[in-house]
Amino acid sequence: ATLTVLEAATAQWSEQLEEEGRALQQASAKLARLNDALAQAAETRQALSVAAETAKADAQSAQSKLDIAETQQAGLLLQKEYQTKEEALELRFKAEQAKTNADNAAETAHQMAHQAQTAKSSADALIQRYQAELPAQMAMMTRRADAYEALRTEKGLTESLWKDLIARHTKDEIDRMQAKLHAHMQKKSAAEGALHSATQAVGTQCKPDLDQLETVLDEATKRLTAQQDALEQLNDLYKPNRQAQKALTPILTDRAVLLQEQVKLDQLYQRLAGKVSGARMDIETYVQRYYLQRILAAANTRFQEMSAGEFTLRMVDETQAGDGKNRGLDLMVYSTVTGKEREVRTLSGGESFMAALSLALGMADQIQQTSAAIHLDMMFIDEGFGSLDDQSRNQAVRVLQEMAGGSKLIGIISHVTELKHEIDDQLLVHKDDAGSHTRWQLS
């Protein structure tokens, strides 16, 4: 019992110690935060002290500057020349106006001086030019004076008579006379040119006989009358023909349009019918090629399997389908061994049988896919297996067995003995003296 009491007391002391430890930890943390706060407060106080000292220094500096400014202002007020601001502004405005007027006057004077300089330069240039031309002008004046004296002497006129003649005839009258004289000279020149041309044209010919010319004229007049009569007759024939031509022109125009359309239709028909040289494939064959291509796609899956992947059936190329004749549905066989195409007629008997069987099966698939109402669930194959070698026959039978394993029934009619082991259900036919007998042999 004493031990139990001690254990209980020990547990209680442990809890009290733990609580006191937690209280001490909290107090320690609080003390650390207070120490941090005191440190920050000290730093803040120091910064504020520095800022206060700086502000105090700035205030003292500003006060000193203010005192200096006030002293300067007082000195300026004592030195001012104008009593009021308005008086100073008015005098300033007048001074600016006077300066502007002076500038304008100076600019005007400068322009006038420039113009005067330009005029002087032009005048100097003219003086130089006139001085250079003066000798030539003097020489020309001398020549004209000499010409005048020579003309006056030629006409036998004195100076006074010449001046009197000029005074009695105005300049306009003289110009008109000059114009008339010029026109007369032009007519004279033209007449002389015509006379010269006529003289050259006549040459050495004699003067024509007027009576003979009149006779020729009468004959020509008669021929002209006859031609005019013939022209009138032709006009009488032309008028109804012209009317008929006017009536037929729109019809012929329509006919030409119809002929163009007919030519286009005929060319289209000839091409669709395969009657154009180099394009003998007709439209029916072109459409059939579409379906044959689908049949070949289904047939080649069987043909490749029967031929161990050696052969593939292909249609003749479209660019060669119309050469010479319509070969649009001709088939070629591609050999993976040689890497070349050749015609199907070059296949051996067994290969031809496999190709025909593949085409029949492919056609049956396409017919059933095209028309959902048609179901080709039964097929009979008559002979053909005898032309196959063992490997090809086994491959062909395996393809047929895969088909028969579905929903199709395939019957094989053959005399090949090896097929007996490949066909499960057989209808055997035996012939004897009494005739033919049949019996079923089921798997």
Side-chain angles (χ1 to χ4, degrees):
T2 304
L3 182 59
T4 302
V5 173
L6 291 174
E7 289 178 353
T10 302
Q12 185 177 0
W13 292 342
S14 297
E15 291 177 359
Q16 290 178 356
L17 290 174
E18 289 177 358
E19 289 179 0
E20 291 177 356
R22 286 193 293 270
L24 290 173
Q25 290 178 355
Q26 291 177 358
S28 177
K30 185 175 181 180
L31 180 60
R33 288 195 298 271
L34 289 174
N35 289 330
D36 293 338
L38 289 173
Q40 292 178 358
E43 293 176 357
T44 303
R45 178 182 177 184
Q46 185 177 1
L48 290 175
S49 298
V50 173
E53 293 295 334
T54 303
K56 183 177 180 181
D58 293 340
Q60 291 177 356
S61 176
Q63 183 63 40
S64 300
K65 291 180 180 179
L66 178 60
D67 294 339
I68 294 171
E70 288 177 352
T71 302
Q72 291 177 351
Q73 181 181 11
L76 291 174
L77 289 174
L78 293 175
Q79 296 175 3
K80 69 179 181 178
E81 297 179 359
Y82 307 104
Q83 298 300 323
T84 61
K85 179 180 180 182
E86 288 76 9
E87 180 183 356
L89 291 176
E90 182 178 0
L91 292 174
R92 178 184 177 185
F93 176 72
K94 291 180 179 180
E96 289 177 351
Q97 283 187 336
K99 182 180 180 300
T100 302
N101 294 331
D103 291 341
N104 292 334
E107 181 65 23
T108 302
H110 179 72
Q111 292 179 356
M112 292 177 65
H114 180 70
Q115 293 175 357
Q117 183 67 29
T118 302
K120 181 178 179 301
S121 300
S122 301
D124 292 340
L126 289 174
I127 291 172
Q128 292 178 0
R129 192 183 73 180
Y130 292 155
Q131 287 177 352
E133 294 176 355
L134 183 59
Q137 295 293 333
M138 294 297 292
M140 184 180 293
M141 184 182 70
T142 302
R143 287 195 301 272
R144 288 182 178 180
D146 294 341
Y148 164 72
E149 292 294 337
L151 180 61
R152 186 171 58 79
T153 302
E154 180 183 356
K155 301 298 181 181
L157 299 173
T158 63
E159 183 75 20
S160 59
L161 290 175
W162 181 272
K163 291 181 179 180
D164 182 62
L165 181 64
I166 293 175
R168 283 189 288 108
H169 298 283
T170 62
K171 187 177 184 302
D172 293 339
E173 184 179 358
I174 295 173
D175 292 340
R176 286 195 299 271
M177 293 178 67
Q178 288 289 345
K180 290 174 67 176
L181 177 62
H182 182 67
H184 172 72
M185 296 302 295
Q186 285 184 340
K187 290 181 180 180
K188 179 182 177 182
S189 178
E192 289 176 351
L195 177 61
H196 180 69
S197 299
T199 302
Q200 287 184 346
V202 171
T204 59
Q205 296 181 7
C206 299
K207 184 177 181 180
D209 188 355
L210 296 179
D211 295 335
Q212 184 180 1
L213 291 177
E214 289 179 355
T215 303
V216 174
L217 177 61
D218 292 338
E219 292 177 356
T221 303
K222 291 179 181 178
R223 289 197 301 272
L224 176 61
T225 303
Q227 293 293 333
Q228 289 176 346
D229 293 339
L231 178 62
E232 291 179 358
Q233 293 177 1
L234 291 174
N235 285 332
D236 293 338
L237 295 174
Y238 170 75
K239 289 179 181 178
N241 290 335
R242 178 61 177 169
Q243 293 175 355
Q245 190 265 342
K246 288 182 179 180
L248 291 175
T249 296
I251 298 176
L252 292 175
T253 302
D254 296 340
R255 179 177 178 274
V257 175
L258 292 175
L259 283 176
Q260 291 179 356
E261 293 180 356
Q262 193 273 335
V263 169
K264 292 179 181 179
L265 292 175
D266 182 68
Q267 291 176 351
L268 180 60
Y269 166 75
Q270 295 294 335
R271 182 168 291 277
L272 294 179
K275 297 181 180 180
V276 179
S277 178
R280 298 294 184 182
M281 184 171 63
D282 53 28
I283 187 63
E284 292 87 353
T285 304
Y286 184 81
V287 175
Q288 289 171 357
R289 282 173 63 88
Y290 170 74
Y291 293 99
L292 181 58
Q293 185 67 39
R294 298 174 62 180
I295 292 173
L296 289 179
N300 280 326
T301 57
R302 277 81 177 231
F303 193 32
Q304 288 180 348
E305 186 173 355
M306 292 181 187
S307 62
E310 181 179 357
F311 296 121
T312 302
L313 293 173
R314 296 181 179 179
M315 283 191 298
V316 68
D317 190 76
E318 187 173 338
T319 58
Q320 302 174 354
D323 292 343
K325 62 180 181 178
N326 186 356
R327 300 179 56 208
L329 300 179
D330 287 1
L331 294 179
M332 306 292 289
V333 60
Y334 173 78
S335 174
T336 57
V337 176
T338 62
K340 298 180 180 180
E341 287 185 353
R342 54 192 174 100
E343 297 183 0
V344 291
R345 60 185 177 85
T346 61
L347 293 174
S348 64
E351 294 169 347
S352 298
F353 172 72
M354 288 189 296
L357 179 59
S358 300
L359 283 173
L361 296 175
M363 184 179 296
D365 292 341
Q366 288 302 312
I367 292 173
Q368 191 164 345
Q369 290 180 6
T370 304
S371 179
I374 299 177
H375 298 281
L376 300 177
D377 297 332
M378 182 180 296
M379 177 182 294
F380 284 93
I381 301 174
D382 187 7
E383 295 298 344
F385 289 92
S387 60
L388 300 177
D389 56 26
D390 293 340
Q391 182 179 359
S392 299
R393 183 174 60 252
N394 292 333
Q395 291 173 346
V397 171
R398 185 172 65 254
V399 172
L400 295 176
Q401 286 176 343
E402 291 176 356
M403 294 179 62
S407 59
K408 289 182 172 58
L409 176 63
I410 299 177
I412 299 175
I413 302 174
S414 179
H415 294 84
V416 179
T417 305
E418 288 77 1
L419 288 177
K420 294 181 180 180
H421 304 289
E422 303 291 341
I423 301 174
D424 296 333
D425 299 331
Q426 302 177 13
L427 177 62
L428 303 179
V429 180
H430 299 280
K431 183 178 180 181
D432 54 17
D433 295 339
S436 298
H437 307 280
T438 59
R439 66 182 180 86
W440 282 101
Q441 180 176 323
L442 304 178
S443 58

